[in-house]
Structure formats: C-alpha cells, structure tokens
Amino acid sequence: MLAPTSLLCYVLSLLLIIQTFIFWRSPASKSTPAIAPQSGIASPASSANASDWRFEPARDASNIALTAAQCDFAFPKLYAEVDRSVKFWRDKDHRISANDTRIRWRRDAAFRLLIHDNSLRILETRDTMNGPYRPRTLAVLHQLHQALLGATVSGEVLPPIQFAVTVDDMSLIPNVENDTHAIWSFTRRLADTDQERCWMIPDFNFWAGPDHAGSFYDAQARARRQNAYMLDKIPKAVWRGVVWTNQAVRGGLLQAVAGKPWADVAEVVWATKANFMPLEDLCRYAFVIHTEGRSWSGRLKYLLNCDSVPVVHKMDWTTHYYHLLVPAGAEQNHIPVRRDWADLEKKVQRYLTHLPASQKIADRAIATFRDQYLTPAAEACYWRRLVHGYSEVSEKPEVFEAGVGDGALDKVRGISFEEFVLAQEEWPPSGG
Ligand SMILES: *[C@@H]1O[C@H](CO)[C@@H](O)[C@H](O)[C@H]1NC(C)=O
Ligand SMILES: *[C@@H]1O[C@H](CO)[C@@H](O)[C@H](O)[C@H]1NC(C)=O
C-alpha cells in the first residue's frame, strides 16, 4: 500500500502528464485533417488551398485582401465585364497603346493613371477637382488604392498598366470610325457599340455616397439593422428621387402610381428636403423601385442592401455587376418591369398576395448582392482582376521618365496617389 505522500505524488505526476498531453495535443490537432476547414477562420488570407475555405460574409465581407484563388472561389460570376472587354479587344486584334489612353477628347472628369509595383501613379488629370468630380475622383483613386493594398497584403504582384478613367455619368468615348481609345467608366449604354471600348469599374458610391448615404460599408450595416420578413414590411412599393435626371422614366413612374394605395412614391425637393427618405427607411417597404437617371443610377446597389424585393425597369445602361440580375426562374432575384411601367401594378399586386414567393426573391437578392457580390471584398477582387485583364490586351507601359542624367532614368512617371490626395490639384500643375 502506498503512503499518503507517495499517493499525492503519484496523483500530481499523473495530472502533470495529462496536462502535458493536452498541451501537446491541442496545437497539433489544429493541423489534423478533421478540422482543417477551420484553418481559414483564423487567417483566411493565408489559406493556401481555396477548397478548404469558404466565403463567409459575416467574417469576410470587408476583407480586401483575399488571395487571388479566394477571389475566384468566392465570386465565380463577378468578372463577366472584364472577360467581355478582354474578348472585345482580342477580337479586334488591337493592343491598347499609350496613345489610346489619351484623354484630350474629354474636356473634364477624366484622368490617366499608371499602376507599377502595386502602387498608383497619376499621370494626367483633366478638370477633376471641380464640383461633383472632386469627390468622385478621390473616391475612385481610393478604391483602386485599397484594392492594390489588398493585392500586396495577399502576396500578389499586379502587372504594370497605363489606363484612362472617367468619373462622369457618361464616357462620351469618341464615335469616329475605327477609333481605338479605351477608358474605364462606371457605365456603358448597351445599344451603343462605341461604348464597348469602355471597361466597367465599380462606381464611386462603393466608396461613399452623397446625401448622407455614408460610406458603403456603413450603408450595408444600416440596412442590415432593418432586416425583417416580408410579412412585417410595409406592403407597398417605395421610390424617392428627383425627376429631372430622367423625365421619361421617373416622370412616367410618378404617373403610373398616382393615387395607387400600393405605392409610396414621391419626388424629393432638395432645396427644402421635402419627401426625403434615408436609405434605411426605404428598406422598411416590401418593394423598392429602381430607376435610371441621366445614364445608370447608383441607387440600385443601395436598394440591393435591403432585404426587400427589388423592382427594376428594363435598363438601357449596364455596370460591372448588372449581369447578376436574374429576372426569372429558380435564381430570380428581382422583379423586372417594363420601362413604361405598364405592368408595374399587376406585378406588385400579384407579389403582394404571394408573400412566400416574394420572400424567396428577397432572400436570393440578399444572398447574391449584399452578402456576396456587392461586398467590399468582392469589389477589391474585381479591381485586381480588371488590372490583370487589361494588361492582357494592352501594351506594357513606360514606367520611368524618359531622359538622361540626374537620376531621371529611375524616376517613375507621374505623381504618387499619396501626394495627389494631399494636394488635390490637377496634374501636372501647369496643365500641360
Ligand atoms: C501617338 O500619337 C502621336 C501624336 O499624334 C504620334 O506622333 C505617335 O506616332 C503616336 N504613337 C504611336 C505608337 O502611334
Ligand atoms: C476603318 O478600317 C477599315 C478596315 O481596315 C478601312 O477599310 C476603313 O477605310 C477605315 N476607316 C477609316 C475612316 O479610317
């Protein structure tokens, strides 16, 4: 029989052994195949194998530094417009040259950029710091800069490119025969073949919006707080906005819903703020109506943040993500209506009396847009793929200043993004 002290000794040793075993087991067990999928939770960006990683919006929505493999895996349908542009220039059998990125054909709202070693350089601006163009220009530069930072963090080096951007509502790309100018723009008119030379970029509202919309990240968070089932939403179709930007479509909507009990539609008067409704309040309605403006309208991305049913008229313009709007079938994620609104009443009334069907559409819209393709993570992935796609069909740019002596040979062209956003002045300063 063991003496009491020996017994105590024995028990303590046993505890020590057990403890050692547990300490030894736990780090080792993290790398066993049974829980390998969790390795992505600790550090999604370091997961080498995309197949043991999934995009989880609650965790990854604002991760701007997914790896290229994770970008492909998380957003398989995101890059249609990049692919279209690459195919367009391939079929044309024309490499975009430095001359094709000139912007003299635009009076304003345009700039020329250089990407080199994952950093952004401004080569030339044309009237970008006036009126609404200043915030748009700064937003787009920050969006690009952020995406480049994400590439750097995830260990990806993007190819050098030189390109032109416009932040106007319309690209106004030259429509003379055989023209080869190329420009990055928010939107293009589907019926206009000249605009096929435009490369679609996420618009400036993905950075932040005017009229108290806040940063896009905040707008998504505010919309999430309004989450509710169809049954608990106001059973009406809502719209707020100005009419002058598109009299035919927006004026037509006002006429189509005049006096209808299923509609809450009103024109906003900015001078008095009459009829203004914050974005998150739009989310309290069962149906949210989208309308085009002068060209595309940035509002759709905000409406898609609501877990309501988006009602979208037939559009003349497209953007980098409109191909993800599915009008019918098992993947339907909005209600399509005619541009003259003739079928609006019939459709809203039908879906008001079929709430389970409406709920499915709203659920799919949220899953597709707010929780996947319109996340800051997806946006960063899109910019990076755009840089790759563009580099495939454009000439390798001159990175350094031409010239000899005084270190001119290793002077990178243009001004850095970092300096530009401090000065916020046209570049080059002479305007030359
Ligand atoms: C670019 O345009 C300039 C001025 O029109 C012209 O002199 C030059 O030859 C052009 N370069 C190429 C490669 O076409
Ligand atoms: C456009 O290109 C075609 C085919 O190369 C050529 O026949 C035509 O003359 C060109 N048009 C102009 C205005 O340069």
Side-chain angles (χ1 to χ4, degrees):
M1 199 179 147
L2 292 163
T5 42
S6 304
L7 181 63
L8 188 64
C9 225
Y10 173 78
V11 170
L12 283 176
S13 318
L14 191 65
L15 279 174
L16 198 67
I17 290 168
I18 291 170
Q19 198 182 34
T20 309
F21 185 71
I22 291 169
F23 265 82
W24 175 79
R25 277 296 297 169
S26 49
S29 64
K30 279 216 175 72
S31 62
T32 59
I35 57 163
Q38 289 190 2
S39 63
I41 290 173
S43 176
S46 69
S47 173
N49 183 359
S51 68
D52 66 6
W53 175 88
R54 289 193 121 36
F55 180 76
E56 286 181 21
R59 180 193 65 202
D60 305 318
S62 42
N63 185 346
I64 55 151
L66 298 180
T67 64
Q70 287 171 332
C71 284
D72 291 353
F73 188 67
F75 313 114
K77 298 180 194 165
L78 180 60
Y79 314 103
E81 270 296 320
V82 176
D83 295 343
R84 179 200 65 80
S85 283
V86 170
K87 182 175 184 309
F88 172 84
W89 290 95
R90 282 234 169 91
D91 290 351
K92 204 175 170 68
D93 199 19
H94 177 86
R95 270 194 175 269
I96 298 168
S97 67
N99 277 2
D100 293 329
T101 68
R102 290 175 172 206
I103 46 177
R104 286 301 158 96
W105 50 275
R106 278 207 63 107
R107 206 179 49 234
D108 56 14
F111 41 95
R112 225 156 27 96
L113 304 175
L114 175 72
I115 288 173
H116 162 66
D117 276 352
N118 283 7
S119 63
L120 192 56
R121 311 279 304 182
I122 288 82
L123 299 177
E124 176 190 3
T125 66
R126 284 184 76 74
D127 202 2
T128 54
M129 289 295 125
N130 276 329
Y133 299 140
R134 175 190 292 264
R136 288 182 180 207
T137 298
L138 294 173
V140 167
L141 292 176
H142 278 89
Q143 286 166 278
L144 258 166
H145 174 68
Q146 179 159 285
L148 296 176
L149 281 180
T152 301
V153 171
S154 75
E156 183 184 13
V157 180
L158 295 168
I161 56 167
Q162 172 176 324
F163 56 104
V165 183
T166 180
V167 291
D168 196 3
D169 288 348
M170 300 173 203
S171 69
L172 308 178
I173 198 159
N175 60 358
V176 293
E177 196 175 300
N178 298 349
D179 186 273
T180 54
H181 283 98
I183 198 156
W184 295 17
S185 62
F186 301 141
T187 186
R188 65 185 176 88
R189 194 161 165 266
L190 289 161
D192 185 339
T193 53
D194 292 309
Q195 296 184 31
E196 289 170 3
R197 280 179 280 125
C198 297
W199 296 71
M200 295 297 98
I201 57 173
D203 74 40
F204 61 101
N205 290 152
F206 283 100
W207 184 257
D211 314 328
H212 315 291
S215 76
F216 192 61
Y217 179 84
D218 286 343
Q220 291 200 322
R222 294 206 315 274
R224 276 195 183 91
R225 290 201 283 276
Q226 298 296 330
N227 279 358
Y229 288 109
M230 270 300 126
L231 206 59
D232 299 322
K233 290 194 181 260
I234 301 167
K236 289 184 179 184
V238 70
W239 182 85
R240 290 291 185 281
V242 294
V243 171
W244 68 266
T245 55
N246 193 327
Q247 186 64 43
V249 164
R250 297 174 175 214
L253 173 65
L254 287 185
Q255 280 177 8
V257 304
K260 305 290 186 188
W262 49 265
D264 185 345
V265 167
E267 182 172 10
V268 173
V269 184
W270 279 110
T272 60
K273 284 249 169 187
N275 292 330
F276 174 76
M277 188 181 278
L279 292 163
E280 54 269 37
D281 285 355
L282 297 174
C283 297
R284 292 164 55 232
Y285 289 75
F287 302 90
V288 288
I289 301 175
H290 175 64
T291 49
E292 285 187 332
R294 283 184 68 219
S295 56
W296 106 111
S297 165
R299 78 169 56 218
L300 184 56
K301 78 177 73 58
Y302 292 110
L303 301 181
L304 293 172
N305 283 342
C306 301
D307 59 347
S308 304
V309 175
V311 177
V312 183
H313 68 74
K314 191 153 174 27
M315 292 189 285
D316 283 350
W317 297 79
T318 195
T319 72
H320 85 284
Y321 73 91
Y322 282 5
H323 62 281
L324 296 164
L325 288 163
V326 181
E331 299 296 315
Q332 182 178 356
N333 53 27
H334 70 287
I335 297 176
V337 294
R338 288 167 51 123
R339 210 173 160 80
D340 64 5
W341 309 103
D343 54 352
L344 178 66
E345 176 158 39
K346 198 181 70 196
K347 289 194 171 172
V348 168
Q349 285 186 331
R350 188 196 323 146
Y351 279 100
L352 267 176
T353 52
H354 290 86
L355 287 186
S358 302
Q359 186 70 56
K360 284 206 179 96
I361 294 174
D363 290 348
R364 282 193 291 260
I366 283 296
T368 302
F369 297 105
R370 189 179 75 191
D371 285 348
Q372 188 179 10
Y373 287 101
L374 297 191
T375 55
E379 190 203 335
C381 288
Y382 182 89
W383 286 107
R384 283 157 62 183
R385 179 70 79 88
L386 176 58
V387 171
H388 278 292
Y390 185 88
S391 81
E392 284 175 31
V393 290
S394 58
E395 287 175 1
K396 203 161 174 287
E398 293 294 337
V399 168
F400 299 102
E401 298 272 14
V404 285
D406 295 336
L409 279 178
D410 47 24
K411 189 175 177 329
V412 181
R413 293 166 63 210
I415 182 177
S416 69
F417 159 82
E418 289 81 356
E419 293 164 279
F420 183 85
V421 297
L422 287 190
Q424 296 187 18
E425 283 162 6
E426 303 297 339
W427 185 266
S430 58

